[in-house]
Amino acid sequence: MTDLYTRTPSQIVMYATEYCSDCHRAKAFFEANHIEYLRVGLEGNEQATEFVMNVNNGYRSVPTIIFPDGSILVEPGWKELQEKTSKT
């Protein structure tokens, strides 16, 4: 995928870390609902980390989930993900 670091990717992109419980919850949501997404880990990935910090005004907040329509959810709960994905 060539559009990883853009605010309008061709598919859902979740920027995450291995140790983040919110990231695990978002992953579980996508998998339980059979929603395709691409996970990009921040560990050892300077470009991903810089992108997330740029999107979040200097904060390294994860998960940061970018949708093809340009919308962004940061640290969303199950309900927020459900509301967003029922519209797409």
Side-chain angles (χ1 to χ4, degrees), residues 48-78:
T49 301
E50 287 178 16
F51 179 74
V52 166
M53 291 179 70
N54 180 274
V55 168
N56 293 306
N57 300 312
Y59 294 98
R60 190 175 178 260
S61 302
V62 289
T64 294
I65 305 170
I66 315 283
F67 292 86
D69 67 1
S71 62
I72 300 170
L73 291 179
V74 180
E75 301 175 0
W78 195 278

Side-chain angles (χ1 to χ4, degrees), residues 11-14 23 26-28 30-31 35-39:
Q11 72 178 82
I12 297 170
V13 180
M14 178 173 76
C23 298
K27 175 185 176 192
F30 288 135
E31 290 177 358
I35 297 170
E36 289 189 34
Y37 72 100
L38 179 64
R39 182 193 177 283

Side-chain angles (χ1 to χ4, degrees), residues 3-48:
D3 59 352
L4 276 182
Y5 305 108
T6 177
R7 292 176 187 240
T8 53
S10 57
Q11 72 178 82
I12 297 170
V13 180
M14 178 173 76
Y15 298 89
T17 61
E18 288 295 326
Y19 57 84
C20 166
S21 61
D22 290 338
C23 298
H24 291 285
R25 181 179 57 242
K27 175 185 176 192
F29 173 84
F30 288 135
E31 290 177 358
N33 290 282
H34 308 288
I35 297 170
E36 289 189 34
Y37 72 100
L38 179 64
R39 182 193 177 283
V40 177
L42 270 57
E43 292 92 345
N45 187 337
E46 188 176 323
Q47 188 174 10

